[in-house]
Each structure stands twice: as structure tokens, then as C-alpha cells.
Amino acid sequence: MKLSRRAVLGAAGAAAFTTLAGCSGDDDGETDNAKAQDYSANREGAMDSYAVGQQFKASAPLTFPIMMLSNAGYPYKEDWLFFKELTKRTNVTLQSTVVPGSDYNQKRSVLVSSGSAPTIIPKTYHPDEEAYIAGGAILAVSDHIDLMPNLKEQITKWNLEPDLAAWRQEDGKYYLLPGTHEEVWQDYSLAVRTDILQQLGLSIPKTWDDFHQMLKAMKQAHPDVYPLSDRWSTPPQPGGNNLLQLVAIAYGSKAGWGFQHANWDPKAKKFVYTGAQDGYKQMLQYLNTLVSEKLVDPESFTQSDDQAKQKFANGKSFVMSCNAQTLVNEIRKSIATIPGATVLKIPVPLGPSGAVLDASRLESGVMISAKARESKNFVALMQFIDWLWYSPQGKMFAKYGIEGQTYTGSVDDGTFKLAPDVNIAGLNPAGTKNLQTEYGFFNGVFVYGGTTKLLNSQFSKEEQQFQEEMNKRKPIELAPAHPLSAEEREQVTLWETGLKDTVYQQTLKFILGTRPLSEWDAYVGELKSKNMDKYIEVHNAAYERYKKAHG
């Protein structure tokens, strides 16, 4: 997939934001935001001439507090080589507030809202940061991009302004440092027991209708099994976060992990409320059918990951959500005791929306506590973050570790190899030391985005084939810029609480059949009573206002 294919969709929005947050008219071309910044009291520990291609190393030992997600697949260890080598290279020690993944979002909300959050707050998915803007708890990071030469270069080189347009507020600023990819890619899909397909004479399903028929055939052959018993049902979403997201895409909607209150309708050229869309209803109807026919385990939407994985390992289910890492690190290993069992990550099935790819070149990012701006080490902080999260050297370090110890060669010229005793995601099955659990590298807290070559370096030939298939699909149209004023943002944030609770609760009821879909109109009425129409009016008014002002 070529970069221009995605970027061209939002080019007008990018040009408009250049006007909004761009030059003041002086010949030096410096932005209004940059001119307003005085860092003279904030340079302690910073490098005087930090630039692209340069190793960041603080001029004095520094400690930066960070909110550290502890992944169940590789639980946090204070003595990981990652932390030791990071300090050696940068002169920075990270002081971790460790939070289990299951509690991360809730804990983050409490800490940020109370003003007691660590300085660095990673693993934040847009638009979660918007809830904290009105209260002034997080930094307008776009004001300080001039301190981050690697990120600044990527935004320009990869033409990421169209993607960033939806992240900006009416003040032209964004409050979340994005994970940046050179190109669009899809990781999450569904793992299917291919030996069962072979036994039943079935092909890999291409559409969600095919998928339905596959599950029916599995159920008929194995009546005591729920063919699909799923994972990733972490609250507050209604459960089945990946499954709902994948099915919703097929119907032109957003659900699960991908749920957003306001969804852009490219045909109507306006925003609509996602939870009341016809496509959202069709997604619910499809999943309700699978549950009512006992093809999907109803516990999929409430059970823990361990429960879902155990059922798959015991042959009590044949299909489960996965990504490239979990397929190799968990799922394949779990069925090793089942004679002849094989499993494959299938391309996401297609639906009425056709061969589309609902993915962004931006992923979860990093918030910075607003109080960091007053720190005497602020400039050093921004330089450090820029090096670790955005420089090619920092990305390579965070992902693969130390050249000559955990890997050799270069991803750019194709000579990259893991060390003989190191393994990650099945790249070196003979390796006895896991790069994540043993050393702390390849940690999702730090490994964000990068070049396509860097991304492809982590893929087996099997995964590369999956990527090639997914890259044949057309990315959906980017939502246009529609920044809200501070007052509007504060108001819609209040409305979102009631709307979200209603959508999440009723979504689960509709899927499980405890509320019939014949009550859809009544449900929509409940959303209206929670200010749904006013919510969408604000977003569409912001879109029209911005379009009128900037074209």
C-alpha cells in the first residue's frame, strides 16, 4: 500500500491546519506556538544541540516518572536489561508506577483527574485524552514539537498531518503524542483451527457469511463445543472488544476497541452517532445470531483472557481473537498437546462495506502531565521522549535491544537477525530466551510505529502473507477536521458518560439476547434522552464552522 493512497484523503485538512496553527507572517517561518515558548528556565539536563540522528544523553543524571503498564504476557520486572541499558545510553532513569493492563485505563483516569499522574503517560488511545483537556491536566504537546526533531521529521516526511487533523482541538493543538507508522497496517484478526477446517472440508472464510457457515459446520460436528470463545473483554467496553471491532467494520460502523461516539458518514458528508447507526444495528444482529445459534460462547463478552485461552487449549473452542504475537507466543503453544492441531490467523472477513481497511497510521500514544512544563528538566524530557519513541535508533533499541547481544545486522538492508539464543514472535524458534519476558524489549509501552521495513522485520513469512492480503484493501475515508471549542469539549465530555454507559450496556444485552432487537427504536430513544442529537449537532456544527473558515 502506497503512502499517498491514504494521505491524499485528508490533504485539505492538513493544508487547513497549516493555516490554523502555522506561521504568523514573519519571514522566519516560526510558528505562533513556538514563538510563545520560553524554555530558558527549563533546560537543565538537556542537550544543547540535539538533532535527528543524534543519540540523546542528558547532561546530568535525570529521573522521569512514568505510568508503566504491566502486560500479562510479559509482566513488569524492575531489573530488565531494557531499563539498565536505557539509563546507560541516555543518563535517564525511569521511575515506574506499575499498573496491570486490566486496570490501566481506570487507574490512568484516577491519577490524571486528581493531578497525581506520573510525568509520562503512555498507552493512551485517541480520543481518551480529550476527557482531560478541559481540566488542564495534560500538556498541549503540539506546542513543543520543535523540541522533538525526529517526530517533526516523520510528520513532514510521511505526510501525517491528514491523520493528525482529527486529533487537533479548536485551538489547533493536539494533546497526545501519536505512535506513528509510515503506512497503514492491520494486526488483529481471528485465529482458526485449520486442522478442524481440513477435517470438515472447509476453506478459510472470506466473508462474514462464510464465517457464520464455518461456525455452523463446526458446531454440527462438535455439538458440545462453542466454536468461538473469545478474549479481550476488558471493561469498560461491553466485551469482545476485538470481535466487535472487526464485525462493525464490515457494516461501516465502529464498535469494541474502535468505538467512537461520532462516526463520519462519507456518503452523507456528516457525522452520525455510531451507537444508533443502521450499521451498528446490523453488527448487533449478526453477533446475536451467532450467540442464539450457540456458535459463540456467551461468556466471550465477560470472561478473562485466561479463561478464553484455556478453552482453546483444551479443544473446547476452535476460534479466538489474536494478533501476530499472541498467535505465536500463546495460541500455538497452547494447542501443542492436541495431536495434529494447527492454527492460522485468517484475513479479516469481508462484509457489506467491501474490501476496506479501517486502520490509521497513528496508534496509541503518550500524554504528558501539564505540570511537566514547569520542570527545570522539561526540554530534556521532550528530547528523551523524542529519541526513545521516535528516533530510528531509539525505536530499534526499544524493539530489539542491543546490537551484538540480542540481535545483529540492520533492518534497512535486510541483514537483521536475532541472536541465536533469542526469540520473539517465532522469528527464531530455536532461541531459548524471550526478548520480552527475559530482557524487557519489544514492550508495547515503548514500541510504537516506525518505518515499514522496521514493521516487517518482526513478521514471519506467514505474517507477511497476511499483511500482503490486508494491504490489497482500501483504507476508509478519514474523518474531516472538526475541532471543538473548549466549552464544547467540556459539554460533550459530560454527555459522553451517559451515552457511553447506555451504548455499552445495551450492546451486550442485544448481543446476548436479553434485550430483543425489536426494541431498537426504544433504545435509540434512550440515547436521545441522553443528548445524542445535541452531541452530534455540536460535532457537525464544528465541522461546518471549520470548513467555512478554512475551506
Side-chain angles (χ1 to χ4, degrees):
M1 186 176 303
K2 301 299 182 184
L3 177 64
S4 58
R5 192 162 142 193
R6 174 74 168 181
V8 72
L9 295 174
F17 270 116
T18 301
T19 302
L20 178 64
C23 300
S24 63
D26 292 343
D27 292 337
D28 62 6
E30 193 176 12
T31 64
D32 290 337
N33 287 337
K35 284 185 175 181
Q37 303 301 324
D38 177 7
Y39 301 117
S40 58
N42 312 104
R43 303 194 66 89
E44 189 168 315
M47 293 178 63
D48 291 333
S49 57
Y50 175 68
V52 170
Q54 190 171 6
Q55 169 68 51
F56 168 78
K57 189 161 189 176
S59 60
L62 299 175
T63 298
F64 294 136
I66 184 171
M67 188 165 174
M68 186 73 192
L69 182 148
S70 182
N71 191 299
Y74 42 96
Y76 169 85
K77 294 179 183 177
E78 186 178 1
D79 62 350
W80 269 333
L81 178 61
F82 170 84
F83 293 118
K84 296 176 182 177
E85 183 69 18
L86 182 67
T87 300
K88 179 180 176 182
R89 295 189 184 199
T90 66
N91 214 11
V92 170
T93 299
L94 291 177
Q95 182 182 31
S96 300
T97 297
V98 182
V99 183
S102 58
D103 299 328
Y104 193 80
N105 289 350
Q106 183 178 1
K107 182 71 171 179
R108 182 190 62 205
S109 179
V110 171
L111 290 175
V112 175
S113 299
S114 66
S116 56
T119 303
I120 305 172
I121 313 164
K123 295 302 288 184
T124 298
Y125 289 83
H126 175 76
D128 288 356
E129 82 281 6
E130 293 181 350
Y132 313 117
I133 293 173
I138 59 172
L139 190 70
V141 290
S142 58
D143 281 353
H144 310 285
I145 295 300
D146 285 345
L147 299 176
M148 307 183 73
N150 287 286
L151 174 56
K152 192 173 181 180
E153 181 184 63
Q154 286 174 17
I155 291 172
T156 301
K157 186 177 180 180
W158 297 346
N159 192 19
L160 291 171
E161 273 296 350
D163 302 69
L164 279 167
W167 289 35
R168 293 185 183 267
Q169 306 304 305
E170 192 178 48
D171 56 10
K173 304 175 184 182
Y174 50 92
Y175 293 73
L176 179 66
L177 290 170
T180 55
H181 286 274
E182 184 179 4
E183 296 182 300
V184 177
W185 74 293
Q186 173 77 30
D187 186 11
Y188 288 77
S189 185
L190 293 159
V192 175
R193 281 275 301 275
T194 45
D195 60 309
I196 302 297
L197 295 185
Q198 292 172 358
Q199 292 172 14
L200 300 177
L202 301 173
S203 301
I204 293 173
K206 294 183 178 181
T207 69
W208 286 107
D209 286 341
D210 295 341
F211 187 80
H212 182 192
Q213 295 305 313
M214 177 195 76
L215 296 181
K216 288 176 69 173
M218 288 177 168
K219 183 68 174 180
Q220 185 174 1
H222 302 273
D224 59 334
V225 165
Y226 281 111
L228 194 164
S229 188
D230 216 9
R231 64 186 306 175
W232 290 325
S233 294
T234 306
Q237 285 89 345
N241 290 318
N242 181 59
L243 180 62
L244 266 66
Q245 177 170 263
L246 297 180
V247 177
I249 293 167
Y251 292 100
S253 191
K254 295 181 182 296
W257 276 327
F259 180 79
Q260 296 177 14
H261 293 277
N263 192 22
W264 176 248
D265 185 334
K267 294 181 180 178
K269 298 297 179 184
K270 65 179 182 179
F271 288 93
V272 296
Y273 190 75
T274 306
Q277 274 186 290
D278 286 343
Y280 198 88
K281 179 182 180 182
Q282 292 168 341
M283 177 269 297
L284 294 175
Q285 181 64 70
Y286 178 84
L287 291 172
N288 171 257
T289 298
L290 299 188
V291 170
S292 65
E293 293 179 359
K294 302 187 184 307
L295 306 178
V296 171
D297 183 356
E299 293 182 356
S300 294
F301 307 96
T302 55
Q303 68 188 352
S304 68
D305 283 9
D306 286 343
Q307 289 173 311
K309 289 188 289 185
Q310 191 63 42
K311 290 175 182 178
F312 197 89
N314 292 339
K316 296 299 183 181
S317 68
F318 304 136
V319 183
M320 183 172 65
S321 285
C322 76
N323 59 26
Q325 286 193 51
T326 58
L327 177 72
V328 175
N329 293 343
E330 300 174 0
I331 297 175
R332 284 208 167 118
K333 291 179 179 178
S334 74
I335 60 171
T337 58
I338 302 177
T342 54
V343 62
L344 182 72
K345 184 174 85 164
I346 66 170
V348 178
L350 302 175
S353 294
V356 296
L357 189 63
D358 187 5
S360 171
R361 291 185 294 154
L362 307 182
E363 62 168 291
S364 65
V366 180
M367 292 191 300
I368 300 175
S369 174
K371 60 188 177 185
R373 179 62 182 88
E374 305 305 317
S375 168
K376 61 185 179 182
N377 307 128
F378 177 69
V379 173
L381 169 71
M382 300 304 285
Q383 292 175 345
F384 168 76
I385 292 174
D386 181 67
W387 181 82
L388 180 56
W389 272 275
Y390 297 103
S391 76
Q393 300 86 356
K395 285 180 180 292
M396 191 67 186
F397 165 73
K399 193 158 192 164
Y400 291 124
I402 305 171
E403 186 174 7
Q405 181 171 349
T406 57
Y407 77 92
T408 59
S410 167
V411 298
D412 292 329
D413 62 14
T415 61
F416 166 79
K417 288 184 179 179
L418 289 173
D421 61 343
V422 175
N423 186 30
I424 182 67
L427 291 183
N428 181 27
T432 57
K433 297 178 180 178
N434 186 283
L435 193 62
Q436 293 171 312
T437 58
E438 185 86 10
Y439 298 109
F441 298 107
F442 219 109
N443 189 307
V445 172
F446 305 103
V447 177
Y448 290 11
T451 64
T452 300
K453 284 186 176 180
L454 180 63
L455 177 68
N456 288 340
S457 70
Q458 74 188 58
F459 295 151
S460 64
K461 290 184 179 179
E462 173 190 340
E463 179 62 19
Q464 289 177 17
Q465 292 175 350
F466 172 87
Q467 292 297 326
E468 288 173 7
E469 182 63 32
M470 295 302 298
N471 285 345
K472 295 175 183 178
R473 305 182 183 186
K474 181 180 178 181
I476 64 170
E477 182 176 328
L478 287 168
H482 58 292
L484 306 183
S485 68
E487 294 77 13
E488 288 170 334
R489 169 53 51 202
E490 186 173 8
Q491 180 60 71
V492 300
T493 299
L494 293 174
W495 287 338
E496 282 175 355
T497 301
L499 287 168
K500 180 174 64 176
D501 289 345
T502 300
V503 172
Y504 286 177
Q505 291 171 12
Q506 302 311 311
T507 290
L508 186 56
K509 289 182 178 180
F510 283 132
I511 291 173
L512 295 179
T514 57
R515 184 175 189 179
L517 275 159
S518 59
E519 295 185 12
W520 175 262
D521 290 344
Y523 156 73
V524 173
E526 293 160 15
L527 293 176
K528 289 178 181 291
S529 71
K530 302 287 186 181
N531 300 297
M532 177 186 77
D533 291 337
K534 291 180 181 178
Y535 182 94
I536 290 300
E537 285 173 8
V538 169
H539 281 272
N540 280 319
Y543 162 62
E544 294 294 341
R545 181 176 66 230
Y546 186 82
K547 184 173 68 170
K548 182 178 180 180
H550 302 284

